[in-house]
Amino acid sequence: MADLSVDSVCLDVETIYLGGKEHIVRTGTGAVSVIIYGDPDKPALITYPDLALNHVSCFQGLFFCPEAAALLLHNFCVYHISPPGHELGAAAISEGYPVPSVDDLADQILEVLNYFRLGAVMCMGVMAGAYILTLFAMKYRERVVGLILVSPLCKAPSWTEWLCNKVMSNLLYYYGMCGLLKECLLYRYYSKEIRGNAEVPESDIVQACRRLLDERQSTNVLRFLQAIDRRPDLTDGLRKLKCRTLIFVGDNSPFHSESLDMIAKLDKRYSALVEVLDCGSIVTEEQPLAMLTSMEYFLMGYGLHMPSQYSGSPRSPLSPTCIAPELLSPESMGLKLKPIKTRVTSQRLH
């Protein structure tokens, strides 16, 4: 699955597992795994995970939440895109192939959309995946109608992140997916409350993630890390991004301040921030229920809705022409521009 042929985009493999259908799509810079869930006649929701993760380890918690799954699968056909070599069962990518840049990864998304004949799409990304989708939205504005970003990156790496990335790069190169590397990644992903300590065992979510990390090819993870480590700063272009954007960030995320910086740079007419208390970076796994109300209000701006008794079909297609002008304001989402502090069980608006 890690073949990097530069043939024109074509369908290479199609298998069915975990209720979704996998397509391996060849792009100009390598093969990309896409897992499709739902009715392809519905509007498209594109997802992109963080470093060393795929749709199982990054979005499964959200889609296993019945209310969130009902909201998203009722309104969308979901296309889970994995970074090259991050899909389940991926082989190691040959060292002879050049490391893709973040622009290459964004361009791969365009080729995937073109292959499936998708028009403008909704996007959901986590950390590094949020950066790739934001870059995609900036390069191809007509192909994105909305962004749902979880603990997004938007700047070039800080000195702290650069040092951490350097440590992880050396560990991946010399030792592979070793115990110390897993600890670095788990710190990146989750809050200390669920990572556990000498007195409290780590949660089932963290244990499951450890097992999934064992399946990652270290050379493939290193390639994605190198691409992300060389990323340019996007902040100067954020003000020009006109698609509506909803950002979630855990208050214990290492990228919490970066999310605050990003929301400050975005056009306030089209963006809103939700802070999740006692949560790490991957809100989709750690506290998916905290996302539900804000996502529901956000999608109402597109004429999309929670199904009645989780059945039926969308009343409106996902199209900018369906957005009433009054629904373009953050207040119409049920959100305010100041950070929203929320827990799984409740939400407080400032």
Side-chain angles (χ1 to χ4, degrees), residues 90-106:
I93 298 174
S94 170
E95 294 182 1
Y97 291 106
V99 174
S101 66
V102 289
D103 279 290
D104 291 332
L105 297 175

Side-chain angles (χ1 to χ4, degrees), residues 241-246 267-272 328 330 333:
L241 197 62
K242 298 304 181 185
C243 66
R244 297 170 73 235
T245 303
L246 177 61
D267 191 322
K268 292 178 171 58
R269 295 173 297 170
Y270 306 113
S271 58
L328 289 173
M333 305 180 206

